[in-house]
Amino acid sequence: RREARQRDEAVAHVILLRHGEPDWYPEGRDVAVDDAGLTARGHAQARCAAAALAKERIDAIYVSPLRRSQETAAPLAAATGIPAVTVPALAEISIAGATGLSQRDVDRYFLEAMRRPLSEHWEGWPQSESFRDFHARVCGGLDQVLARHGMTPAREHDFTVWEQPVRPETIVLVAHGGTNSVLLTHLLDVPPVPWEWVRF
């Protein structure tokens, strides 16, 4: 047990938390909102996540600026007494091309976009943020967050090695499915792939 405790205390921990269920069509609207909050179920998911994570020693909480992530982070911040710091770079990939569409049109938009040649997926969703820009934004934001805690990347033999801080800390990043996919691959030094290729 002593050795296990020493191993656990010797490394930093990064916890990735996806937001709860979003309410894209509140009050039965026909057109999706641009910045959805959480459904009742989503709020319950956020409370459950907070209850589970509050048992851990948490040193910092960082959150996407979008409402669904802000509302997911709020119970955790309240339970731990640690304020959630908003990091714009953690926002989900922008899908401006789907703004103002009905559910049926949104489904058609994504289906047609996924049927494009794979080489076009790097452009992101049509009329929206490119995947390359999204990837660069999220990775750059993560590097800045980790640097605040003494974790900086260095290249060794074609691999990225993260410098451990003097006092290892546990930080929570509350974001989105696409964002968390990029965060995870960046931490593990995996070559980027368009996030719509990833299945959750």
Side-chain angles (χ1 to χ4, degrees):
R1 285 196 299 270
R2 182 182 68 251
E3 291 175 355
R5 185 174 65 252
Q6 290 173 339
R7 286 194 301 271
D8 189 55
E9 292 174 350
V11 296
H13 294 89
V14 177
I15 298 173
L16 305 181
L17 176 61
R18 182 186 181 269
H19 60 76
E21 181 181 70
D23 190 4
W24 291 111
Y25 298 89
E27 302 173 356
R29 295 183 186 181
D30 294 330
V31 176
V33 295
D34 291 337
D35 189 9
L38 297 179
T39 63
R41 180 181 181 186
H43 283 290
Q45 292 170 332
R47 291 191 298 271
C48 287
L53 291 176
K55 298 174 184 176
E56 307 288 332
R57 187 205 78 210
I58 294 175
D59 298 284
I61 303 169
Y62 296 95
V63 59
S64 155
L66 299 180
R67 270 188 65 196
R68 52 195 184 276
S69 291
Q70 293 280 327
E71 293 180 6
T72 300
L76 180 59
T80 60
I82 298 171
V85 177
T86 299
V87 178
L90 295 179
E92 182 61 283
I93 189 169
S94 172
I95 310 178
T99 300
L101 300 181
S102 67
Q103 181 63 65
R104 177 177 294 179
D105 289 337
V106 167
D107 291 342
R108 183 182 302 112
Y109 170 87
F110 284 119
L111 184 60
E112 291 176 355
M114 287 188 293
R115 289 176 173 165
R116 295 172 299 166
L118 290 179
S119 60
E120 294 182 16
H121 286 220
W122 290 102
E123 299 170 10
W125 300 105
Q127 294 87 50
S128 303
E129 182 178 22
S130 78
F131 177 76
R132 287 186 174 86
D133 290 343
F134 172 58
H135 185 272
R137 166 168 63 80
V138 172
C139 291
L142 177 62
D143 289 348
Q144 291 178 9
V145 165
L146 295 184
R148 297 180 191 177
H149 298 272
M151 291 176 270
T152 54
R155 297 295 291 179
E156 285 188 16
H157 307 291
D158 296 326
F159 292 97
T160 299
V161 178
W162 293 88
E163 184 73 26
Q164 291 293 322
V166 175
R167 176 185 173 275
E169 297 181 325
T170 297
I171 67 172
V172 178
L173 303 175
V174 185
H176 312 266
T179 303
N180 286 351
S181 296
V182 173
L183 292 171
L184 186 59
T185 56
H186 186 50
L187 287 168
L188 298 178
D189 197 24
V190 178
V193 296
W195 78 269
E196 62 264 37
W197 295 4
V198 180
R199 295 293 178 260
F200 302 99

